[in-house]
Amino acid sequence: MAHVTVDHTIGPTLRISPQVRDFLVFTIWSMVTFVQFRGDELLLYPLALYYAYSIWRDQNRIVPLLARAWVVLLFPTWCLISVLWAVDPVDAFKHALYLFLTLIICFQVAATLSARQIMHAVCIAASVIALVHLFVAYGLGRGDLGIFPSKNTMGKTMVILWVVTFAVFLDPGTRWLFRLSSLGMASIAAWLAGASNSATAVLLVLASALLLIAGAVILRGGLLRASRLAILFFSLGLVLSAALAILPYQQVEPVDAVLSHFNKDSTLTGRTVLWQYAENEIREHPLLGVGAGGFWRYQESPLVQKIYFEFYKGPWDNFNFHNSYYEIAVHQGLIGLGIMMLALSWGVFMIGRWAITDGSMPAIYIFSYMMLVLARTMTEADFLKPFVLFHMIFWIGAIKALQRRITPE
């Protein structure tokens, strides 16, 4: 906590404890990494330097976590090795270096902040970004996208805001004023997710609402109780019975109905076509891949030019396979994909065990968030890319689960 210390030679001074300073820095970092904007490096680089210093400062707390969560760093290590055969060695080296820094920052945040502080920092950062967006979009009349470059980016940000604000509202360990404010921001997040016209975002908002409510009722205080298990299995039985009673008589496939509501087709807006291109590329370089930045090279690749033409993209656009597994397999090969799956499985296990055994609202929030991350990896390609907050929260949660087992708060 911040406190005032009296110095008789200089006068009253305000000292901020390291934990409060780390909380403020992580909040600012979250705001900067939510959305790219002009001149953001003026904030991002100093924050990265601060984290480099704090990693050295807190090494006694971070090293024990690194020793037990070394699996998380296997993938960036593989990315660094891939420089030897990468199509663009410089880009591959930068990618590996930035990814190392991103994951080490996750270790630092998990080691120095409590689970509830992490949740509150993300809540404050996401709320500020949403309010800025509302001002730009509707106050300045810039249109529905406001500060966001695309509907997918807007939808992703609103999902982050929705999950954390709704979780804070459900958290009995948070003060009521903050909880009520979070409920208001959750309403704004749900509305903006719909305004983004992103089917993925809307579905994730609905799914996360069910997860958080179910978690608050069933998991809070720990699942391993007879009454909680009875409620869980009874609820699952009701859902399964309803599905078996209703779905066979549906004239329209539920998935197709949802997709048609958002003017999508069965190819998921061409994603399945992209995945076929990815599969062909994987056959060309199955084990090692082409290295980070080695495929989407518009000027050098006729195949990329063809894909851009088919999907109405210009040479200046950034594009991807809209699937994290295909994206990683193309660039880091099947070996890199296997290493990523190993780290992902570890993270899922750690977070799942934390939520089931602990049952606190921050643990339930991280668990719900994990489920959204797993769902989004199927339709977007930014998993394990540097400085992507959406996935940093997943790794922070997994490492925090480990840290709580080593030194319970």
Side-chain angles (χ1 to χ4, degrees):
M1 297 296 293
H3 62 279
V4 175
T5 302
V6 177
D7 188 322
H8 295 289
T9 60
I10 300 176
T13 60
L14 181 66
R15 291 183 180 178
I16 301 177
S17 68
Q19 191 177 51
V20 171
R21 182 170 63 244
D22 285 337
F23 174 82
L24 294 175
V25 170
F26 179 59
T27 303
I28 298 172
W29 173 275
S30 299
M31 285 190 286
V32 174
T33 52
F34 259 119
V35 183
Q36 288 186 330
F37 56 90
R38 186 178 302 174
D40 60 357
E41 66 275 5
L42 298 178
L43 286 174
L44 187 60
Y45 291 165
L47 289 172
L49 288 174
Y50 173 80
Y51 273 118
Y53 155 73
S54 61
I55 289 165
W56 174 260
R57 180 196 66 195
D58 300 317
Q59 58 183 296
N60 292 336
R61 304 170 69 178
I62 295 172
V63 169
L65 296 177
L66 286 171
R68 298 191 181 210
W70 51 267
V71 67
V72 176
L73 298 181
L74 285 181
F75 184 75
T77 302
W78 174 256
C79 293
L80 185 61
I81 297 172
S82 71
V83 172
L84 298 174
W85 60 81
V87 174
D88 188 343
V90 174
D91 200 7
F93 178 76
K94 288 169 56 179
H95 176 270
L97 187 64
Y98 291 160
L99 186 55
F100 263 116
L101 177 59
T102 300
L103 292 175
I104 295 297
I105 289 174
C106 294
F107 277 92
Q108 195 276 341
V109 173
T112 57
L113 298 181
S114 70
R116 184 164 282 110
Q117 284 178 318
I118 294 168
M119 184 171 70
H120 287 172
V122 176
C123 181
I124 294 171
S127 298
V128 171
I129 292 297
L131 293 175
V132 172
H133 165 71
L134 288 174
F135 174 74
V136 172
Y138 303 107
L140 300 181
R142 299 283 182 86
D144 289 340
L145 288 181
I147 63 175
F148 300 104
S150 67
K151 67 180 184 66
N152 287 333
T153 303
M154 177 179 171
K156 176 184 70 174
T157 305
M158 292 308 112
V159 169
I160 297 175
L161 175 62
W162 160 261
V163 176
V164 72
T165 50
F166 196 51
V168 169
F169 169 69
L170 295 174
D171 179 26
T174 299
R175 294 180 179 179
W176 266 109
L177 182 59
F178 197 4
R179 294 175 69 179
L180 292 177
S181 301
S182 296
L183 180 61
M185 291 307 303
S187 303
I188 293 174
W191 171 61
L192 290 176
S196 71
N197 197 33
S198 170
T200 302
V202 174
L203 291 175
L204 290 181
V205 165
L206 295 175
S208 61
L210 294 175
L211 282 171
L212 288 169
I213 293 173
V217 173
I218 297 173
L219 292 180
R220 184 176 293 167
L223 174 63
L224 302 180
R225 302 178 185 178
S227 59
R228 300 289 178 87
L229 290 172
I231 294 174
L232 173 63
F233 288 116
F234 179 74
S235 302
L236 292 176
L238 286 179
V239 172
L240 182 60
S241 300
L244 292 175
I246 296 173
L247 292 181
Y249 301 100
Q250 293 294 305
Q251 300 298 318
V252 180
E253 290 290 334
V255 175
D256 292 339
V258 173
L259 291 174
S260 63
H261 178 75
F262 290 93
N263 298 319
K264 311 293 184 182
D265 55 30
S266 58
T267 67
L268 301 176
T269 323
R271 282 179 170 85
T272 55
V273 177
L274 272 174
W275 298 345
Q276 292 174 359
Y277 280 119
E279 290 172 1
N280 294 334
E281 183 65 21
I282 292 169
R283 293 188 188 99
E284 294 291 327
H285 308 277
L287 295 180
L288 303 181
V290 296
F295 180 78
W296 298 105
R297 297 161 59 86
Y298 182 86
Q299 300 300 334
E300 294 84 0
S301 173
L303 175 59
V304 173
Q305 295 173 14
K306 177 184 177 183
I307 295 174
Y308 270 52
F309 176 77
E310 291 180 0
F311 286 87
Y312 308 101
K313 299 293 180 180
W316 55 86
D317 289 321
N318 293 320
F319 204 43
N320 57 66
F321 288 112
H322 286 276
N323 180 290
S324 293
Y325 306 101
Y326 280 123
E327 191 79 13
I328 290 174
V330 167
H331 291 92
Q332 305 301 336
L334 295 177
I335 296 177
L337 179 63
I339 293 172
M340 182 277 287
M341 291 297 296
L342 183 63
L344 177 63
S345 300
W346 176 85
V348 169
F349 172 76
M350 294 302 301
I351 292 173
R353 182 171 61 178
W354 181 23
I356 290 173
T357 57
D358 182 73
S360 64
M361 201 60 222
I364 296 169
Y365 157 65
I366 294 294
F367 178 81
S368 301
Y369 199 92
M370 175 195 75
M371 299 301 292
L372 301 185
V373 168
L374 293 177
R376 198 171 184 276
T377 56
M378 300 298 298
T379 58
E380 300 298 337
D382 53 2
F383 188 65
L384 273 175
K385 286 193 173 180
F387 307 135
V388 176
L389 184 69
F390 190 85
H391 302 293
M392 287 181 69
I393 297 172
F394 167 78
W395 296 113
I396 291 170
I399 299 165
K400 189 64 188 178
L402 171 65
Q403 190 259 357
R404 286 177 62 88
R405 291 187 65 83
I406 299 174
T407 55
E409 294 177 358

